[in-house]
Every structure is written in C-alpha cells, then in structure tokens.
Amino acid sequence: MTQAKAHTDVPINIYKPKNPFTGKCMSSKELVQEGGEGTVRHLTFDLSGGDLRYLEGQSIGIIPPGTDANGKPHKLRLYSIASTRHGDNLDDQTVSLCVRQLEYKHPETGETVYGVCSSFLCNIKEGDDVTITGPVGKEMLLPDDEDATIIMMATGTGIAPFRAFIWRMFKEREQNPDYQFKGLAWLFFGCAYTPNILYKEELEELQRQFPDNFRVTYAVSREQKNKDGGKMYIQHRIQENADELWQLNQKSNTHTYICGLKGMEGGIDEGMSAASGKFGVDWSEFQKQLKKEHRWHVETY
C-alpha cells in the first residue's frame, strides 16, 4: 500500500538555521507527577507572525542561545512535535514540544552535566524568545486512512509524536470534519515509575471516551514484574500481546511506529520475533516487507 496520496504536501525546512524563526514561549508545564524521576516539560510556543506549518510526526529544531566551548553559536537540536498541525489552541498559531532535561554524570570527573538545549527549554519562562527551524521529517507521518490500525511504541519523551497522533484522531474530531478516525490506535508506553507516565490523565480520559478505538498498555519497569519476575519493559508487553499484534500486522493498513531511546528497538524485535515464530515466520524477513510497504516507522535517538 503506498502513501503517495497522503504525503504529497509535506512542509520541509520552511525555516533554516541561517534564517530561523523567533517564537515566544506561551506556557511551560511539568509533566512528571510527584514522586517521579527527573523533569519533563510540555512547552507551547507562539508561531504567529511566521509561516511555520507542520504535520503530526514531524520535528522542529531549537537553537539554544549563547555559544559553545569554542565560542561558536550552539548547533540546533531536533525535537519531535507533540501537538497536532492545528496546535494545542486549535488556531494554527502554536507548536508544542515534550522535553526532558538531560542530566548525566561526567565519565571522568563524576560531575553532573546538564544538556545545553534541554536545560534552556526546561527553564524557559513565559514570554521568552525561542529560535526555531524546520519542520523536518517524513518517516513518522500518519497514513491518510481513517480505518487504519496505528500501533505506537514509546519510551519517555518518545511519546511526543504519539500525543500529536492521538489528539488528531480523538480530541479534534469536532474541528476536523475531513478526518474522522474509525480504526484502532494502540499505545505501548514504557517508563520507570507511574508518576513518569506522561499525559496520563488525558490519555486515560480518551480511553474512556473511545474504548473501541483506543488502547493504552503501560510497562512500568520499577513497579511491574514480567512473567519471569524481572522488570517489566516494553518488549514484555509486546510478548504478552504478541498473538494479537501479529494478527493486526497481517492487515495491509496496519502501521507500527516506534519512538524513544535507541535501546528499545532490540527488545521490540525480540517481542515480535517471539510472536512471528509461533506462526513459523522469520521476523526479520517480515519486518523488511513491512518497511518496504512503509508500514514500519522508527525514530530513535
């Protein structure tokens, strides 16, 4: 099944690094609940006065202010867009991101190092300027099929494009008479603790409203155990639901999307391999076919 019809008009690089757009921060909201790990912000930027358009599944670049250790301007960092093409305010004038503050120990000094761009974004205040480029990306776009099955697998802030998908499918129904999703959307989300489930209340509210069309399956590694008594990761949830996922993937309009840390891909392949093995099919061969049909979409970092 080709997607040419759906993806003919994809905006790309309306704003380039040499000629970026200056937006303003409209809001910054903490997404990690009390007792969770780290900080993750839902940020909304004002795009009015510019021409930035985007589709669900694309990314924008952010150029943090200041200079690097060599005195050169910082390079841009890419972030998946967490809002639909109409923006959180449905006025086509905003874009939202879901950003975790990067924090790690320096391997030699043992000092805590904070990510340059993620720290800038997580500490930004309402009214502050933000330098934006893009949009970029064609890998994670939704098919133009209201009856499709959309399987989404995310860890942490990898949920960003899927929030955009889910909001477009279910939250904007009244505003989108031209797009009324009637298929199945199934989100698998992995994190360490329950307070780290991003957008939890909103996701569960949509699940209550659309029980036949939307499912959420969590893998909370520090709280849940897999069948062997170890930590529950996303691949264990894939294995638990292997038979159904396998059957869904036999349909020509089922698309699988993976977004999050690179390390999650191996586990997902392991889970799907267990499923396909039950039916005597080699997973890597089947996956190649899915990729060829543009039905297996991966964006990991």
Side-chain angles (χ1 to χ4, degrees):
M1 186 181 88
T2 65
Q3 292 180 44
K5 175 177 157 285
H7 300 153
T8 46
D9 182 28
V10 181
I12 296 285
N13 282 324
I14 294 169
Y15 290 95
K16 297 187 172 149
K18 285 183 179 165
N19 183 27
F21 173 73
T22 303
K24 280 203 185 311
C25 176
M26 292 176 73
S27 66
S28 172
K29 179 185 160 206
E30 179 60 57
L31 292 175
V32 177
Q33 302 299 313
E34 200 176 327
E37 266 187 343
T39 184
V40 178
R41 310 293 296 188
H42 181 78
L43 299 148
T44 301
F45 305 129
D46 182 4
L47 301 178
S48 61
D51 301 314
L52 189 67
R53 301 175 290 115
Y54 58 88
L55 297 175
E56 301 79 14
Q58 290 194 291
S59 300
I60 53 170
I62 303 290
I63 304 174
T67 55
D68 63 18
N70 301 315
K72 293 189 172 171
H74 288 298
K75 288 191 163 60
L76 68 84
R77 271 68 160 184
L78 286 176
Y79 292 93
S80 295
I81 294 169
S83 50
T84 74
R85 65 190 70 182
H86 300 301
D88 285 350
N89 300 337
L90 300 175
D91 59 3
D92 300 314
Q93 298 292 313
T94 69
V95 65
S96 297
L97 300 179
C98 170
V99 179
R100 169 182 286 279
Q101 183 169 22
L102 178 65
E103 185 183 327
Y104 60 95
K105 290 269 185 280
H106 191 285
E108 285 156 26
T109 64
E111 283 179 87
T112 301
V113 181
Y114 295 96
V116 172
C117 197
S118 66
S119 295
F120 160 65
L121 288 171
C122 286
N123 293 308
I124 202 170
K125 301 283 184 285
E126 278 181 40
D128 286 357
D129 284 349
V130 60
T131 306
I132 299 172
T133 68
V136 297
K138 292 185 177 182
E139 174 59 32
M140 298 288 282
L141 302 179
L142 272 173
D144 201 12
D145 179 352
E146 296 175 359
D147 298 303
T149 295
I150 306 295
I151 298 163
M152 301 161 277
M153 304 177 185
T155 54
T157 55
I159 198 172
F162 304 144
R163 179 192 186 262
F165 288 5
I166 293 159
W167 264 229
R168 179 153 171 80
M169 291 167 181
F170 302 112
K171 269 214 163 183
E172 293 186 354
R173 293 171 86 81
E174 285 161 30
Q175 289 79 17
N176 288 339
D178 56 330
Y179 177 74
Q180 295 290 312
F181 183 74
K182 300 183 286 288
L184 171 67
W186 191 351
L187 171 67
F188 289 84
F189 181 68
C191 61
Y193 300 99
T194 298
N196 286 92
I197 298 173
L198 308 176
Y199 306 109
K200 183 173 186 285
E201 284 175 18
E202 295 161 337
L203 290 170
E204 289 172 9
E205 177 54 35
L206 289 174
Q207 225 188 341
R208 279 191 289 276
Q209 285 178 33
F210 302 97
D212 299 332
N213 305 90
F214 182 42
R215 296 184 201 169
V216 183
T217 302
Y218 300 128
V220 186
S221 62
R222 305 283 172 85
E223 296 173 10
Q224 298 170 337
K225 296 267 188 279
N226 63 38
K227 65 178 173 49
D228 300 319
K231 289 177 182 172
M232 174 65 80
Y233 291 114
I234 208 163
Q235 63 260 37
H236 301 119
R237 292 297 190 205
I238 303 299
Q239 285 171 5
E240 286 175 2
N241 294 280
D243 292 3
E244 190 173 1
L245 287 168
W246 177 253
Q247 295 302 339
L248 289 171
N249 269 299
Q250 306 311 303
K251 290 163 50 184
S252 64
N253 64 346
T254 294
H255 290 253
T256 300
Y257 296 82
I258 296 167
C259 190
L261 294 171
K262 210 165 191 49
M264 69 188 287
E265 285 183 70
I268 287 168
D269 284 337
E270 201 183 300
M272 292 304 291
S273 195
S276 65
K278 288 184 176 182
F279 301 91
V281 176
D282 179 289
W283 169 244
S284 62
E285 288 304 311
F286 188 74
Q287 189 187 43
K288 276 182 203 157
Q289 187 59 32
L290 291 177
K291 286 178 180 172
K292 202 170 155 190
E293 293 169 11
H294 305 294
R295 298 201 289 122
W296 190 264
H297 313 264
V298 180
E299 195 164 85
T300 53
Y301 38 84

